[in-house]
Amino acid sequence: MQLMSFLRSSPTSSKRSSYNRNFDMPEDSTAETSEHVGGAMLPIFLNDLQRNNDKDIVEVRLELDDNSIVLCSVTPTPPHNTNVAAGEEEHSPSGIPSNSTYASAIASRICRKFQWLRSPGRDDHHQFHGNQLMTTNLSAAREEMKSKLQVERNKPSAGCALGGLRFISKSTRESDINELWGKVETRFDALAKDGLLSREDFGECIGMEDSKEFAVGIFNALERRRRRQKTAKINKAELHEFWLQISDQSFDARLQIFFDMADSNGDGRITREEVQELIMLSASVNKLSRLKECAAEYASLIMEELDPEGLGYIELWQLETLLLQRDNYMSYSRPLSTTTLEWSQNLGISKTNIIVKKASCALKCLVLDNWQRGWILLLWLSVMTALFTWKFLQYRQMAAFQVMGYCLATAKGAAETLKFNMALILLPVCRNILTRLRSTRARILIPFDDNINFHKIIAHAIAVGIILHAANHLACDFPHLVNSSPEKFALVASDFDKLKPTYRSLLIGVEGITGISMVTLMTIAFTLATRRFRRSILKLPPPLNRLTGFNAFWYSHHLLALVYVLLILHGTFLFFVHKWYQKTTWMYISIPLILYIAERSLRIWRSEDYAVKILKVSVLPGDLLSLIMSKPEGFKYKSGQYIFLQCPTISSFEWHPFSITSAPGDNYLSVHIRIVGDWTKELKRVFTEDRSSACVVGRAKFNEHENVDQRGLPRMLVDGPYGAPAQDYQNYDALLLVGLGIGATPFISILKDLLNNTRPHENDLNTETSASDDSWTSFVSSSTTSSVKKKSQRIRSAHFYWVTREPGSFEWFKGVMNEVSEMDHKGRIEMHNYLTSVYEEGDARSTLITMIQALNHAKHGVDILSGTRVRTHFARPKWMEVFKRIALKHPYSTVGVFYCGMPVLAKELKKLSQELTYKTSTRFEFHKENF
C-alpha cells in the first residue's frame, strides 16, 4: 500500500496510533484516477513523485483513532540533488512544487473528504486540536502556494496560458487596436441614440454580435469596476475607456476582467454559484447545451481543485494558478488525442533563393500530382484532334464541299469527336470494372480516383461538339444547300434523289428530327446535372422547384438511354454516306454500350441477391440515421469502399451511395446516413414511424432497446462494393485521415480494420465493446471478429482528424473512439476531434470551458464534449502544424492523405501535401473521396 490503499481504508484501531508512511505509488495510478480524492491534480502530483522518487518524496504524519484523522506534520525528505541551491525548491516536471506545500493541501483534503475531523462522539479537545493543526498547516500552505505563483508565471510553459483570455480576435499590435477602434467608433455612431450606447448593443458595437450575452457580462464587469453601480448606457468616451481595458494586451488586465465577470457582487471572491453562472454563460455563447446541464457539477470540480481548504470561495490568484497549469493537466491526456512528438517550425529549409525554390517546388508538385491526369488528357485530346482532322480532310475532298464549304467539314469533324466521346463517357461510370482495375497495376498509370471528373470533362467536350455540329448544320450547311445554284446542286443531287430539299424538309427528316431530339434531351440532362440544380442551390418557385435536387438529376440522366437509341438512328440515315461500313456510329458505341448494359444488368441481378436484413436502426444526434444490416453471403469489401442502397418502398429506381462504416472482419454491414435530402428524409420516416394501421406498409417498429421488429419492415437492397481512393490505405507507411462532419464515415471502417489487425489473436473472439446504445458499435457485443490471421500491414500509424460543427456529432462514432482508446495498446492510432462551433482556445469565451475540460480529463480521463477519452480541440486545426508534425514523426516515409468533405479545404490540404513533400524528407500523397 501505499497512499491509495490507505485512502480507501478506514481506521480500525480503537486507540490513537501514529501512522508514518511515504508517498509510494501503486503500479497503475492513472487507472484509478476517477476513484481518488484530492482533486484532478492528485494523480498528476503522484505521477510526478513516481517519476522522480529520489527527490520528491514527502512524509506526511497523521494521527488516527476510531473516528478521526489528524494532520500532524508534512516533512519533505532531504533532496538527493546536490545541485539545487540552498533555499531553492525543486519543482516537478509538471510545474507543481515538489515539497510539503501541495502535499499538505492533499492531506487536508483527505481529512475533509471523509469528514473524519467531526465524527459523532469525538472528543472536543482532540477535535479542536486537530482543527487547529490543520488550520495552521493550511494557512501556511496557502501562503506558500501563493508565493510560488510568480515562479510559475516565469516558466516558458506559461507563455501559452499568458497569451490566452483574448476578448478581441484580432492580434495584438497597437496599429491593429487603433484600426479596430475606428470600426468600433463607426458602429457606435450607427447604434447610439442621443449619444448613448445601450448595454444590449455593446456586443455588436465591439464586434461580438454573435455572442451578445457574453458582451453584456463584460459590460457589467467593467461598469462595476468603474462606478460600483449599474447603468444601462454609456457615451463614446466611456466606450473608449472600456475598449482600452478590453484590448489591453497584458495578461493581468485580461485576467482581472474575466474574474470580475464571475464576481457578480464585486467582493473580490468567486463562489461556486458564481462559477456556475459563468459556466452557463460560456456554454450558451458556444452553443453547448449539454455543458449547461452539467454546470453545477463542473463548478464543484473547479472549487474542489482551487479551494482545497473548503473556504467556499476562490480568489484571483487561484484562478490564475489554474490557467497557468492548464497544460500540465492536458499533458496527462491520452496520447491518442495529444501531440506525441515535439516539433520545431525550423525544418532546415534554407531561405536563400526563395523565389527560385518556390518556382521549382511548384513545378515539381504540378508534375508529380498531375502526370497521370496529364497523359490521359493528352492522349484523349490527341485522339479527338486526329479524328476531327481525319474527318475534316475527308469531307474537304468530297463534292459536297463545293456546295457547303468549310461548314460541312467542320460539322462532320465535330460529329466524329461526338461519336468517340459518346462512347467514352460510359466507361468512367462502369463502377464494377473500375473497382477491379483498382486492384491491378493499371492504377499506377490511370487515375481511377478522377473517374467522375473525367466523366464531367467528356460531358463538356460533348456540349462543345454539339454546338459545333448543330450550329454549322442549322446556320450554315442547310442554308447553303437550299440556296445553292442548280450547277452546284447537281454535284450532290444523287444524294437527295435528284430533288433539291427545302429547309423544312431537312428539319423534319429522320436526321433532323433525331438530331433536334438528341439536342433537346441532352440539354435537359446536362442542365439538371449542374451543381446548382443537383444540390438545390438554385431556388425556384413551385412547381419549378421540382426541377432541382438529386431526384431531378437522377431521372433526367436516364433520358440519355433514349439519346443513344436516337444516336444510332441519326448515324444510320446520313446524306452523303451510303455504304454500311462507312456508317461508323455503331462501331464507336457498341462495345462501351455493351459493357455498360452488362454493368447495369449485373447490378440489378446482384442487388436482388444482396437483399439484407435490418439488424438495428438508430437515430443519432445531428439527424443521422445508423443502419446495421446483415452481411450478404459472399459479400467481400475493403475498408474505404462504398455501397449503393435502394429501398423499393420509397423508389424502385433510385440508388444512393454511402460509405461502409463496418470493418471487413465484422459479420455485419453498417452505414451512417445524414438526413439532408428527399430520399434520406423518406428513408428515416419509413424506418422510424410506428403506425398500427394495416394499410401502412413498411414501417419499422422498435422495442425498448431499439431492436427492429422485422414484421412489415421494408426491403433494403445493396449494390457493391465499389472502389474509392481510401481503399488503398494499406499502401502507405502512415495515414492522415481528414473528415468533415459526415465525411468521417469512409475512415471509420479503416480505423476499425487497423484496430482489428493489431488486436491480440486470443482476444479476437472474446472482445466486448463498451459502446453506447446510440452508437453502431453497440451491436459489436453480439458480433465476432474473423479469426483468420491478418496479413502484416505496412502502416505504422494513423492520424485521424475529425472536424465538425455540432457537438452532438461525436455521438455518431463514440463507440469507435472508446474502442480505439481501450484496445490500441501499441499507440498506432491518434484521434483528434475538432469542434468549430466553440471559439478557439485562448479566446475568453472558451477559456472556462478549456479549464473544465482540462480538469475533467486529468481527473476522469473523459472529454466533457465527446464523452470519450479523445480530447476535443476547439476551432479549426492549424493544418500546416499538423503536416509538419507528421513529417517530423515519419521522416523518409510515404504518408497517405485521405480527405472527405467540402472542396475548399481539399485544395488547401492538397497544396500542403505538395509543399511539404518538397520541403521535408516525407512524401505526402493526397486523395479526395469522390463518388
Side-chain angles (χ1 to χ4, degrees), residues 104-295:
S104 177
I106 291 173
S108 66
R109 193 176 309 174
I110 296 169
C111 301
R112 189 182 72 256
K113 186 73 175 180
F114 288 95
Q115 298 179 350
W116 283 335
L117 289 177
R118 297 189 63 85
S119 302
R122 173 87 171 120
D123 181 79
D124 292 340
H125 172 72
H126 291 160
Q127 180 177 337
F128 173 77
H129 176 65
N131 286 337
Q132 188 178 40
L133 282 173
M134 185 182 73
T135 302
T136 303
N137 280 288
L138 290 180
S139 298
R142 184 180 180 89
E143 291 301 320
E144 194 168 355
M145 290 176 67
K146 193 171 181 179
S147 66
K148 293 295 185 292
L149 181 60
Q150 189 60 40
V151 177
E152 294 292 326
R153 295 190 63 171
N154 294 331
K155 290 186 177 182
S157 60
C160 180
L162 294 175
L165 273 178
R166 289 179 285 100
F167 289 95
I168 54 175
S169 4
K170 192 114 176 183
S171 234
T172 60
R173 294 175 299 178
E174 193 67 30
S175 59
D176 294 331
I177 301 300
N178 295 333
E179 179 185 345
L180 287 174
W181 167 248
K183 296 179 180 179
V184 172
E185 197 172 15
T186 302
R187 288 193 289 265
F188 175 88
D189 295 335
L191 296 171
K193 297 179 180 179
D194 299 327
L196 295 176
L197 180 73
S198 66
R199 177 191 289 108
E200 290 71 22
D201 294 330
F202 179 72
E204 183 177 353
C205 187
I206 65 172
M208 285 189 176
E209 56 274 0
D210 54 346
S211 48
K212 292 185 177 180
E213 294 177 48
F214 195 84
V216 168
I218 298 174
F219 183 96
N220 293 337
L222 296 176
E223 190 60 29
R224 279 195 303 271
R225 180 191 301 180
R226 183 175 180 275
R227 296 184 180 178
R228 300 294 178 182
Q229 61 182 4
K230 292 186 178 181
T231 183
K233 296 181 179 181
I234 56 175
N235 56 37
K236 184 180 289 189
E238 292 171 327
L239 175 64
H240 186 254
E241 181 184 341
F242 283 5
W243 174 255
L244 292 177
Q245 295 180 60
I246 295 171
S247 59
D248 193 327
Q249 297 308 308
S250 70
F251 176 74
D252 291 326
R254 285 174 285 160
L255 177 64
Q256 186 65 59
I257 295 175
F258 190 74
F259 184 87
D260 290 343
M261 289 181 64
D263 184 17
S264 57
N265 58 6
D267 62 353
R269 299 174 176 180
I270 301 178
T271 62
R272 191 194 67 81
E273 290 74 18
E274 290 173 327
V275 172
Q276 181 177 341
E277 290 179 7
L278 189 57
I279 291 175
M280 295 185 67
L281 177 61
S282 298
S284 177
V285 168
N286 290 281
K287 301 177 178 63
L288 300 175
S289 56
R290 184 175 177 180
L291 189 63
K292 292 176 66 175
E293 297 171 1
C294 303

Side-chain angles (χ1 to χ4, degrees), residues 679-698:
W679 189 86
T680 54
K681 290 178 181 177
E682 186 64 16
L683 184 69
K684 177 185 176 183
R685 186 183 67 84
V686 162
F687 276 104
T688 58
E689 284 190 6
D690 184 9
R691 299 182 182 180
S692 57
S693 174
C695 64
V696 179
V697 181

Side-chain angles (χ1 to χ4, degrees), residues 288-306:
L288 300 175
S289 56
R290 184 175 177 180
L291 189 63
K292 292 176 66 175
E293 297 171 1
C294 303
E297 175 188 345
Y298 294 135
S300 299
L301 179 65
I302 290 179
M303 296 301 295
E304 180 183 354
E305 186 62 33
L306 298 184

Side-chain angles (χ1 to χ4, degrees), residues 14 61 76 102 181 208 285 450 546 613 615 792 807 853 913:
S14 60
R61 186 176 181 83
Y102 203 81
W181 167 248
M208 285 189 176
V285 168
D450 290 321
R546 294 182 175 272
K613 178 182 178 181
L615 302 178
S792 60
Q853 184 190 51
S913 299

